[in-house]
């Protein structure tokens, strides 16, 4: 079974600064996907960024980028130029690549607060 | 484009009562998921549908939980009878295929007293 661990329950950052959220995972699979989701108080999960395990290049989406270390099974999220609207719970998630079933396995989450 | 719609937003019931949640996915999305999110935890998959067929229900407590997606569009999740530990947010998500982005609804917060 896959497990996802987020070791930072809470983090805070000043507006306009950079913050990195950590995530490690455990799997015996070689092909899989990794995700970061954002969950604001409205409860709606919003996809922030996605990484395919077969791609060596780290994914980037505007101010969001990842550091994917496959051998170390590490997948951290870097948020640059933090904005007040980035305040939310962030979840790291794993999905196996298989012919049927695409279950997301989530970590416990990191509550990020951006301070003015 | 309309998002994933869920109702109700909130529900409070007594233990041993039954409850049902409804989800209408994004039009054209064949894959539909129900997740349970207990306070302070990440979501956990309860069941995944591909059109009207069940793909994964390995983590669904089948003695009390049931779900259906009869016409391959909207879906209902039922709990009967509810237990205190069922208090959680129930999230519905849909995607065009199993490996494209899953879009989530705003969830139903269930409190069992």
């Amino acid at each position: 079974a896959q497990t996802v661990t987020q070791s930072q329950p809470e983090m805070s950052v000043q507006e306009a600064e950079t913050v990195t959220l950590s995530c490690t995972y455990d799997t015996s699979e070689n092909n899989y996907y990794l995700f970061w989701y954002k969950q604001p108080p409205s409860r709606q999960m919003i996809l922030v960024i996605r990484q395919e395990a077969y791609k060596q290049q780290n994914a980037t989406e505007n101010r969001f980028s990842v550091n994917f270390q496959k051998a170390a099974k590490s997948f951290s999220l870097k948020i640059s130029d933090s904005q007040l609207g980035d305040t939310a719970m962030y979840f790291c998630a794993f999905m196996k690549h298989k012919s049927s079933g695409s279950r997301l396995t989530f970590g416990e989450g990191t509550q990020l607060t951006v301070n003015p | 484009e309309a998002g994933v719609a869920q109702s109700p937003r909130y529900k409070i019931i007594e233990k041993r009562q039954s409850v049902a949640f409804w989800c209408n996915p994004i039009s054209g999305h064949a894959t539909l998921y129900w997740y349970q999110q207990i306070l302070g935890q990440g979501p956990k998959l309860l069941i995944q549908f591909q059109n009207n067929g069940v793909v994964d229900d390995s983590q669904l407590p089948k003695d009390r939980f049931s779900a259906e997606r009869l016409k391959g569009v909207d879906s209902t999740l039922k709990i009967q009878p509810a237990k205190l530990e069922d208090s959680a947010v129930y999230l519905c998500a849909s995607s065009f295929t199993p490996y494209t982005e899953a879009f989530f609804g705003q969830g139903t917060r269930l409190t069992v007293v």
Side-chain angles (χ1 to χ4, degrees), chain B residues 48-66:
Chain B
Q48 177 185 350
F49 291 95
Q50 184 64 23
N51 296 306
N52 61 350
V54 175
V55 174
D56 184 352
D57 64 355
S58 58
Q59 299 186 114
L60 185 74
K62 298 180 184 63
D63 57 333
R64 299 184 300 106
F65 286 66
S66 64

Side-chain angles (χ1 to χ4, degrees), chain B residues 3-94:
Chain B
V4 176
Q6 289 189 247
S7 67
R9 288 293 310 277
Y10 304 90
K11 189 74 176 180
I12 301 174
I13 62 172
E14 295 182 349
K15 60 183 179 183
R16 292 188 289 273
Q17 285 187 325
S18 62
V19 64
F21 312 127
W22 175 81
C23 172
N24 189 26
I26 293 173
S27 178
H29 281 194
T31 309
L32 185 146
Y33 312 82
W34 283 101
Y35 284 86
Q36 179 193 57
Q37 185 177 18
I38 293 172
L39 184 66
Q41 299 181 17
K44 181 185 78 172
L45 180 73
L46 291 175
I47 189 166
Q48 177 185 350
F49 291 95
Q50 184 64 23
N51 296 306
N52 61 350
V54 175
V55 174
D56 184 352
D57 64 355
S58 58
Q59 299 186 114
L60 185 74
K62 298 180 184 63
D63 57 333
R64 299 184 300 106
F65 286 66
S66 64
E68 60 183 14
R69 193 185 184 199
L70 292 175
K71 297 183 179 178
V73 181
D74 56 353
S75 175
T76 55
L77 175 70
K78 297 179 182 178
I79 308 174
Q80 181 179 7
K83 294 185 175 181
L84 296 177
E85 58 261 36
D86 298 332
S87 294
V89 173
Y90 291 84
L91 295 164
C92 179
S94 71

